[in-house]
Amino acid sequence: MSLPDFEGLALFAKVAEARSYAGAARELGLSVATISRAVARLEQRLGGRVFNRSSRQLALTAFGTTLLEPAIRVYRDAEEAEARAREQSASPRGTIRLAVPMSFGVRWLAPLLPDFLQRYPEISVDLHLSDAMVDLVGEGFDAALRIAVLPDSSLAARKLCDVARFTVAAPAYLARHGQPGHPLELDPRHCLGYAYRARSDLWRFRRGDEEVVLHPQGPLRSTNAEALLPWLLAGEAVAELPEFLAGAYLQDGRLQALLRDWDQGSGALYFVTPSVRSRPAKIDALGAFLHEKLSEPSWRWP
């Protein structure tokens, strides 16, 4: 089944309203030939003439009269839909479906949302918290926050800030096993894994020309890095944590950073959207707000 000829119906309604092809053409900025072809196509499709034409006047046929009211309704509904869409696009309003990593969302994004929602009272946020990588386009999200080395190149990404990564352990663990001076001194059986780590769950250390890759084989692996903290704080393990999660524990001494003279890699926090073009004002408002709040984050250590 083919779609109705919406263009033909709309142009027929406009010609009837203007009482001439020329008048409708001037109003719409189209050629008379374009409008005439569209109306002729509609007549052929419906199997009846909508206008009686003469050199001096244009009059609706009986068939055209019965069609006019629904055609006008189609035209007006389309105009109203476009007007509403333009209004939403021009001013920040509507619902934003936002995907955010679990721990980051709870700790750092959620406390910011009251300020954002008060600033933009016509916006609401549908917040999806998960460390799994979501398909923005396929799953219908408007935007996402991603912590990555490089964002997906098929998406539009705005960098908000760098996010360092630390290998950490509790003082109790270091008292029993000693402070490692080299990554190979870490026992992989004590290293906890993170299931959603990009490029597989491997720890990479670089110093000059030397590179060491370690595969954590500890007794706990989680899809959420925060779930590793109780075992870490109990002094039973070593883990890699992002700066936004480790910072508070490093500041108060409950965790210590290891191998600081080794480059352990870092990523960045990105505000990601499916496209830059035709992006609604609500998305630009959220992107600007998050850049304002997160470009100089308080979790920095030291």
Side-chain angles (χ1 to χ4, degrees), residues 213-260:
V213 178
L214 184 146
H215 181 205
Q217 301 170 37
L220 178 61
R221 186 169 184 261
S222 174
T223 58
N224 180 266
E226 197 157 9
L228 307 178
L229 282 169
W231 194 236
L232 267 178
L233 295 171
E236 299 293 337
V238 179
E240 273 198 346
L241 295 180
E243 186 179 12
F244 68 82
L245 194 55
Y249 299 96
L250 294 171
Q251 287 173 13
D252 64 20
R254 283 182 288 171
L255 293 176
Q256 292 183 21
L258 313 180
L259 303 167
R260 293 299 307 280

Side-chain angles (χ1 to χ4, degrees), residues 16 27 35 39 65 70 88 99 114 121 128 143 173 178 189 206 216 239 258-259 261 265 267 269 280:
E27 205 169 323
I35 295 177
V39 173
T65 301
Q88 271 203 355
H128 175 91
Y173 178 89
R189 295 171 300 173
R206 289 185 180 85
L258 313 180
L259 303 167
D261 56 336
L269 176 66

Side-chain angles (χ1 to χ4, degrees), residues 77-87:
D77 287 348
E79 277 190 324
E80 184 178 349
E82 284 194 354
R84 286 180 179 176
R86 280 194 296 269
E87 186 181 359

